Amino acid sequence: MKNLIIIGARGFGREVFDLAKNTQAFKDGEYIIKGFLDDKTDALEPYNGYPPILGGVETYEIEKDDVFVCALGTVQPKKHYAQLILDKGGEFINLVDLQANVRSDISHLKGVLIFSFVFVSVDVTLSDFVSIQHFACLGHDAKVGQWSHMSSYSTITGFTVLEEEVMLQTAAKVVPKKTVGKGSMVGAGSLVIKNVKPGESVFGSPARKM
């Protein structure tokens, strides 16, 4: 049995804790939830029913049977803190909610988070450390690059490409065969109808550079 540690104990961390309890792996006893890593040691004080904060990422010493997930919704902090654990030799696992519908293989990946009521269609290519929140939808043959984050109700359609480190905010949508470049951000409720250049932030319907 593995000991799961969640990086981040703020709002998204509590959501990931809930996700971690609703996977087939948890039901099968493959891991228990050991606790959180967070510099804010009082992050959980107003809340009940959560495991302890074990310390900060920088100072935590990995123990036998520890495995990790990263519960940071913003791309660059997620990449930074996950990399600190990777550099220490830490192992990351995937979490897939029992109520998610995933029609593509992710067994070769690490650090992927897929929440309830997500739909991943056939022949979708995901990458390590992608996070997909509730009710997001990924159409056939879509590709999502490493570290990218899809917020709740966001949609990418057939042959859409999200390059590395892309953030789709709540209910953002991308029409078929368009590419959202590395490090870009698509604002909440936006509709992307043409390619987004690397590093751009776009907003609106149709989405325009901010």
Side-chain angles (χ1 to χ4, degrees):
M1 181 179 289
K2 300 292 186 180
N3 298 317
L4 178 64
I5 298 172
I6 300 169
I7 300 172
R10 321 291 171 94
F12 192 44
R14 288 182 279 113
E15 289 187 332
V16 172
F17 172 74
D18 183 69
L19 166 62
K21 296 189 298 178
N22 288 282
T23 70
Q24 190 62 52
F26 183 77
K27 303 298 183 186
D28 292 342
E30 294 181 16
Y31 62 80
I32 61 170
I33 305 171
K34 183 177 179 179
F36 297 89
L37 296 181
D38 200 304
D39 290 333
K40 185 173 171 53
T41 57
D42 62 350
L44 296 172
E45 281 189 2
Y47 305 100
N48 297 313
Y50 294 97
I53 295 175
L54 305 171
V57 175
E58 293 88 348
T59 58
Y60 184 75
E61 295 185 5
I62 297 174
E63 299 179 349
K64 182 182 178 182
D65 296 325
D66 283 349
V67 292
F68 298 85
V69 292
C70 192
L72 298 172
T74 306
V75 170
Q76 291 305 321
K78 174 171 68 170
K79 183 177 180 181
H80 172 73
Y81 286 104
Q83 192 62 56
L84 289 177
I85 293 297
L86 288 170
D87 290 344
K88 296 181 182 184
E91 175 189 353
F92 283 80
I93 64 170
N94 302 326
L95 299 181
V96 180
D97 194 281
L98 285 165
Q99 292 179 292
N101 190 343
V102 181
R103 303 297 181 89
S104 297
D105 181 26
I106 65 166
S107 60
H108 59 293
L109 300 176
K110 60 187 177 184
V112 174
L113 305 177
I114 299 180
F115 287 77
S116 58
F117 305 110
V118 167
F119 178 72
V120 180
S121 190
V122 297
D123 302 309
V124 171
T125 302
L126 298 182
S127 304
D128 294 338
F129 297 100
V130 167
S131 48
I132 308 172
Q133 288 187 274
H134 313 276
F135 294 98
C137 181
L138 292 79
H140 65 86
D141 299 286
K143 296 182 179 180
V144 183
Q146 192 170 14
W147 307 109
S148 292
H149 179 92
M150 293 181 61
S151 300
S152 298
Y153 296 97
S154 59
T155 300
I156 59 176
T157 48
F159 296 101
T160 295
V161 176
L162 304 184
E163 295 184 345
E164 292 185 4
E165 302 171 25
V166 169
M167 165 69 82
L168 295 190
Q169 293 187 343
T170 304
K173 294 175 172 58
V174 185
V175 302
K177 300 182 180 180
K178 301 305 176 186
T179 296
V180 180
K182 180 178 178 179
S184 297
M185 188 276 290
V186 180
S190 297
L191 175 64
V192 173
I193 63 171
K194 60 182 181 179
N195 293 339
V196 177
K197 294 179 181 178
E200 281 191 345
S201 295
V202 298
F203 182 78
S205 181
R208 302 179 185 277
K209 183 179 178 180
M210 294 174 63

